[in-house]
Amino acid sequence: MNIADRPDIANNTHAAVLIGAGLTSYFLNENRPKTALIPPAAGGALLLLSPGVKSGDKAVAHAAVGVTALLGVMTGVLFSKAIAPSEAAKQKFKPEVRQRRAGVFGLMTLTSAAAVGVYVAGFIRKRKQQEV
């Protein structure tokens, strides 16, 4: 079995990472920022889309890809800001907080890129099978 044949596994893995990382960020921050709940909400939405992704529903699969790609871009930007902070960010966040942010955003970005890669590989694979 090729992972491109099971995009629901990549979807569920990415959703679990989003939920775990977002809740970790929320509870480790004393201020309890509401924005830290965006990834868990998106992860929950991806889990709800998973049966459609598994069954091959094109509309649902494209929605999952869109949500995943959008979050990947968002977390990628935040990751880049965490690893190369501005002077204002250096003053606002302690070094250990910046490291935690870099780890959390890096993990979410990595799983997002991997999930999008699996989705695209699956789309390409299905297209080639239809041509034969």
Side-chain angles (χ1 to χ4, degrees):
M1 176 179 76
N2 189 331
I3 188 67
D5 296 332
R6 293 293 308 270
D8 58 304
I9 294 173
N11 184 63
N12 292 343
T13 303
H14 179 57
V17 167
L18 290 174
I19 292 168
L23 291 176
T24 298
S25 291
Y26 181 78
F27 288 114
L28 287 179
N29 190 328
E30 308 83 42
N31 299 328
R32 304 286 188 263
K34 302 292 187 238
T35 55
L37 297 176
I38 294 170
L46 287 172
L47 285 177
L48 292 174
L49 294 174
S50 191
V53 171
K54 185 175 183 178
S55 69
D57 184 327
K58 287 183 181 183
V60 173
H62 283 89
V65 171
V67 169
T68 302
L70 177 63
L71 276 165
V73 169
M74 289 172 46
T75 58
V77 168
L78 294 169
F79 173 66
S80 68
K81 288 181 179 181
I83 61 171
S86 65
E87 287 303 317
K90 286 181 183 177
Q91 292 175 0
K92 183 178 178 181
F93 299 112
K94 296 177 183 175
E96 59 271 8
V97 172
R98 288 196 313 266
Q99 288 176 346
R100 183 185 77 227
R101 288 172 57 91
V104 167
F105 291 132
L107 179 63
M108 289 190 286
T109 303
L110 180 66
T111 59
S112 176
V116 169
V118 169
Y119 298 149
V120 171
F123 292 153
I124 292 170
R125 188 176 176 105
K126 285 180 183 178
R127 179 65 61 127
K128 285 184 179 180
Q129 288 175 348
Q130 289 174 351
E131 291 176 359
V132 174

